[in-house]
Amino acid sequence: MAHQLDILSVENVKREWGDRTYPIWLLVNPKHSSVRQNIWAPVLDEVQDKVYRKIQKRIDTTQIYIRNVVCDSEIVPNTLNWWGSEVSKEIELFREIVLEYKPKILISFGAFPFEFLRRVNRSKPEKGPKSWGNANLEDEFKRSIDNFDINKTNSIPLLRRLFVSRADDENYFHYTGTLLAEKIIENKDSFNIWI
């Protein structure tokens, strides 16, 4: 039994980091784990800057809960295994975790993690990840910010990668980071995230 627990612990270390009780979660595709560095880090820099300038606080980022959307990158949907039974099991498992811990902000990166969250939340119609191009994800980001409600889990999609010039990248990071920071500042007393 102890050996089985050790194996499960090793598997969980590879799949998730941080604290499930923390109100900010990141959901990433295991095929694209670099989003934490390439997308999240510059967005977080903008958030930290805006929050500090407005309320002189910094977010403790050491406990942010980060999870690979599925345990095995081989089951990420594509045209051969479109939303197979393994992914359905992952959706049910993650739904239970979200219901238990109730994060305030759940950020996904790219098409597959966003559609996965839609299915966790039972959003209709179900779509394939290919339905979520950058323009559609940007629209969904804006909609999630406009409908932000501190009393529920807010699913917020970010892009997985940018296809434009470096200046446009910086504009994207500034734009998304600023809007996220505004929601955090508006609800600062409801977040236990401060250093």
Side-chain angles (χ1 to χ4, degrees):
M1 180 69 172
H3 179 66
Q4 281 182 320
L5 291 176
D6 290 341
I7 290 171
L8 290 173
S9 295
V10 169
E11 288 174 0
N12 284 339
V13 167
K14 293 178 184 175
R15 175 152 197 195
E16 59 184 9
W17 303 263
D19 182 352
R20 286 183 179 181
T21 64
Y22 200 77
I24 301 172
W25 291 14
L26 308 180
L27 191 63
V28 299
N29 183 334
K31 289 184 173 184
H32 306 291
S33 60
S34 65
V35 297
R36 293 189 344 240
Q37 203 54 34
N38 298 335
I39 302 294
W40 176 241
V43 169
L44 180 60
D45 287 346
E46 290 289 337
V47 170
Q48 291 283 43
D49 180 64
K50 303 300 179 259
V51 167
Y52 186 78
R53 289 175 189 273
K54 185 74 174 181
I55 61 173
Q56 291 72 52
K57 292 186 178 193
R58 295 206 33 94
I59 298 168
D60 180 359
T61 61
T62 61
Q63 298 303 311
I64 290 176
Y65 179 65
I66 304 166
R67 182 179 178 89
N68 284 328
V69 69
V70 291
C71 62
D72 180 359
S73 63
E74 296 298 315
I75 67 170
V76 172
N78 60 37
T79 54
L80 299 176
N81 67 348
W82 203 250
W83 298 95
S85 62
E86 299 94 346
V87 177
S88 295
K89 290 176 190 170
E90 296 279 355
I91 289 168
E92 291 301 320
L93 172 65
F94 194 64
R95 183 180 294 128
E96 290 173 16
I97 294 169
V98 169
L99 289 172
E100 180 178 352
Y101 291 96
K102 297 176 178 49
K104 300 293 184 188
I105 297 175
L106 207 167
I107 297 172
S108 61
F109 297 88
F112 171 56
F114 179 63
E115 179 58 26
F116 182 92
L117 277 181
R118 289 181 78 251
R119 292 177 186 217
V120 165
N121 296 326
R122 295 186 170 101
S123 298
K124 298 291 182 190
E126 291 182 350
K127 300 181 179 186
K130 292 182 180 184
S131 298
W132 299 111
N134 279 8
N136 291 340
L137 283 174
E138 288 179 26
D139 291 344
E140 290 297 321
F141 170 81
K142 182 70 169 110
R143 188 179 347 269
S144 68
I145 293 296
D146 290 344
N147 296 319
F148 191 91
D149 179 353
I150 194 63
N151 297 309
K152 67 178 187 110
T153 296
N154 296 277
S155 298
I156 300 176
L158 292 180
L159 301 180
R160 177 178 62 83
R161 64 180 172 186
L162 301 169
F163 297 100
V164 290
S165 72
R166 191 72 198 144
D168 288 338
D169 288 1
E170 291 171 13
N171 288 338
Y172 177 77
F173 302 142
H174 176 77
Y175 171 74
T176 54
T178 297
L179 291 180
L180 279 169
E182 287 172 0
K183 293 303 171 188
I184 291 170
I185 292 165
E186 284 173 21
N187 297 284
K188 66 183 181 296
D189 296 333
S190 297
F191 283 109
N192 183 20
I193 58 174
W194 310 112
I195 291 177

